[in-house]
Amino acid sequence: MQKSDALDVERIREDFPILQREFDGQQVVYLDNAATTQTPKQVVEAISEYYYEYNANVHRGIHQLSQEASIAYEEAHDTVADFVGADGREEMVFTKNTTEAENLVAYSWGLNELGPEDEIVLTEMEHHASLVTWQQVGKKTGAEVKYIPITEDGYLDMEAAAELITDDTEMVSAVHVSNSLGTVNPISELADIAHDHDALIFGDGAQAVPNRPVDVKDLDVDFYAFSGHKMAGPTGIGGLYGKEEILEDMEPYLYGGDMIRKVTYEESTWNDLPWKFEAGTPSIAQGIAFAEAVEYLEDIGMENVQRHEERLAGYALEQLSELGDIDIYGPMNHRDRGGLVAFNLEGVHAHDLASIMNDSAVAIRAGDHCTQPLHDKLGVAASARASFYIYNTTEEIDKLVEAIDDARELFA
Ligand code: 7TS
């Protein structure tokens, strides 16, 4: 157990057998959690239990197995809704991931509501999931896309935001925690500005919901998205929160079975929320296991998760700064960050750095992290990124730093 840390990391690590893996006798140091987190036994067991004990399609069978599967899948929506402060399952659509949630709103709301006189406001630190999606909505509808700039030290320029968001703005889409800079953005302030101009706001919570308490009602967002696989859950499942009255007014995104109420050869009407947005057989096992992941995190306590991540980010910032020849991106105050640090070792390409790290069994990501325009703005093609989760320790960050030293020697 790490001192001054509310998390019992040693105990938590027992739930993640993959962390015991060794490469050439070296235990893996998994620091690529912003890409995907590892999955605890409890979540894997929820998946096996479903397939071994009550595998059936949902919403359509009156037999016992289908009833059990339907109840578990539906209740999973309540659990995930409650986790982010949504009013109930009506406000929680299960999607494949954050990307699909962005596309759902872009297609269903954006293509129907926007025109050439309208504006969409994004941030310069958007992930491609939001940036490319709204950019394409702009191209299809004629709406203009504008970007809130970032300051030198990696924060959103909120004065510029107040000027950019106007009565012509219909949608503000902003990343809550940047997956490249780590910056925690003031989403509720942006929501206030958006709402003052009768615009809607979409919060990208892919890097926020896993790492800190999130309450969509406190943030006052209209839409908010996140991915199960970044928060100890399985792949193939994510959540889209939407305010009930807005979701009610929206057209379905995908058509087909399950999302209808009544179909004739001429007409169809739609099912209740959230099923109106979940056409076809959904990711049943993944949805049920998503709720298990949420319960796992709730047991740990999201305040504790946030404190642990901030502590690791602070330690990483300190250790990397001491090296002297490291460029670090994003805010230097760890309290303004999620649990990740993107950086470059001067004179060494990020991919080479990640590859040398791999020789020491240290797993980090190198690349543009799906934020190409942001990397262009930073003047680099790529960066190395270490990202932390509930099972990571300061000792693992020490290993990261040792591996950087090895890379420096190799390239000297
Ligand atoms: N938004 C943010 C802020 C993200 O970090 C990611 C994934 C997404 C959206 C898309 O999530 P998905 O589950 O739909 O893929 N980010 C990363 C990353 O930083 N490295 O790999 C995936």
Side-chain angles (χ1 to χ4, degrees), residues 352-395:
D352 293 333
L353 188 61
S355 167
I356 306 286
M357 301 243 164
N358 188 48
D359 295 341
S360 309
V362 177
I364 61 163
R365 180 158 181 198
D368 57 48
H369 320 308
C370 298
T371 55
Q372 278 182 20
L374 175 67
H375 277 73
D376 287 346
K377 175 144 182 144
L378 296 171
V380 291
S383 59
R385 183 188 65 189
S387 52
F388 316 115
Y389 210 41
I390 45 181
Y391 33 71
N392 288 126
T393 63
T394 51
E395 290 76 17

Side-chain angles (χ1 to χ4, degrees), residues 41 128 130 148 170 182 218 248 251 263 290 310 378 408:
K41 285 179 192 165
H128 294 168
S130 146
I148 304 169
E170 293 295 326
D218 284 350
E248 280 293 356
E251 283 293 305
V263 180
F290 192 11
E310 284 177 356
L378 296 171
R408 187 190 294 104

Side-chain angles (χ1 to χ4, degrees), residues 34-35 97-99 127 129 175 179 204 206-207 227 229-230 365 385:
N97 48 32
T98 303
T99 305
H127 185 279
V175 65
N179 67 318
D204 172 350
Q207 301 294 348
S227 297
H229 70 96
K230 292 185 196 290
R365 180 158 181 198
R385 183 188 65 189

Side-chain angles (χ1 to χ4, degrees), residues 65 98 139-140 151 163 202 211 232 250 278 348 352 382 405:
L65 290 175
T98 303
K139 288 191 194 301
K140 285 184 205 288
T151 63
E163 282 174 21
F202 189 126
N211 305 322
M250 278 163 51
E278 295 189 16
V348 179
D352 293 333
D405 281 334

Side-chain angles (χ1 to χ4, degrees), residues 42-60:
Q42 291 84 338
V43 171
V44 176
E45 280 160 13
I47 296 171
S48 334
E49 193 185 326
Y50 166 75
Y51 283 115
Y52 288 148
E53 293 178 27
Y54 60 102
N55 177 27
N57 213 326
V58 289
H59 299 155
R60 40 194 106 185

